[in-house]
Amino acid sequence: GRERPKEWLYGRRMSRCLAKFAPGCSHVVQVAARAQHIRRWVSERKDFPEGRAGYLQWRQALGRMHGRLSEEIMLASGYGQREASRAVTLLTKKDLKADAEVQLLEDVICLVFLQYYWKPFQEKHTGPESGISGKKGEDKQLGEEKLIHIVKQTWEKMSDKGRKEALKLDFEPRAKELILKALT
């Protein structure tokens, strides 16, 4: 097939996952799911400080940018201000855990990560190219600890329904092993 930008592919995966996970969800949630990575290449991770604080700054900036762009596109396409503002709320993840639609979008984000991006992510961060320093033979273990922490954080963000769906995903043995370690 044709080569497509990774953001396009991510958007398609989000839409497919959402349709399966919550087929009766609102149209605004569908738009927000598709817009989750809109023009993501404009704001690169390297443009923010290293470490967790820099990572969180980058993610928050992305959420605001995705919300702003979605709002502009929705208004230009005939949506009302109420719907466009709702998409901004969803994309900036306001009231996660308290707002059912924000939680739904977060569940889908986590499911797409686990289904499509977890295996390459864990391979990158536990292999020799992970860039983790330490004594010979320790790199893999240090990478595992970090990955287990990431799975735990992902799991905490998900609803019970999202977690149940995640456990149904078909993982490669090594990827599944790390997930199970995180959950025990």
Side-chain angles (χ1 to χ4, degrees), residues 13 23-24 55 64 77 108 122-123 144 146 149 183-184:
R13 288 173 170 169
Y55 173 77
R64 289 188 302 271
S77 299
V108 172
Q122 64 97 24
E123 287 173 346
E144 267 188 31
K146 182 176 181 176
H149 179 72
L183 302 182
T184 55

Side-chain angles (χ1 to χ4, degrees), residues 4-5 9 41 48 61 78 82 90 97 100 126 155 157 175 178:
R4 302 276 188 178
L9 178 60
W41 62 87
F48 290 80
R82 184 170 160 239
L90 296 171
K97 296 288 185 187
T126 57
W155 211 252
K157 292 188 285 185
L178 285 171

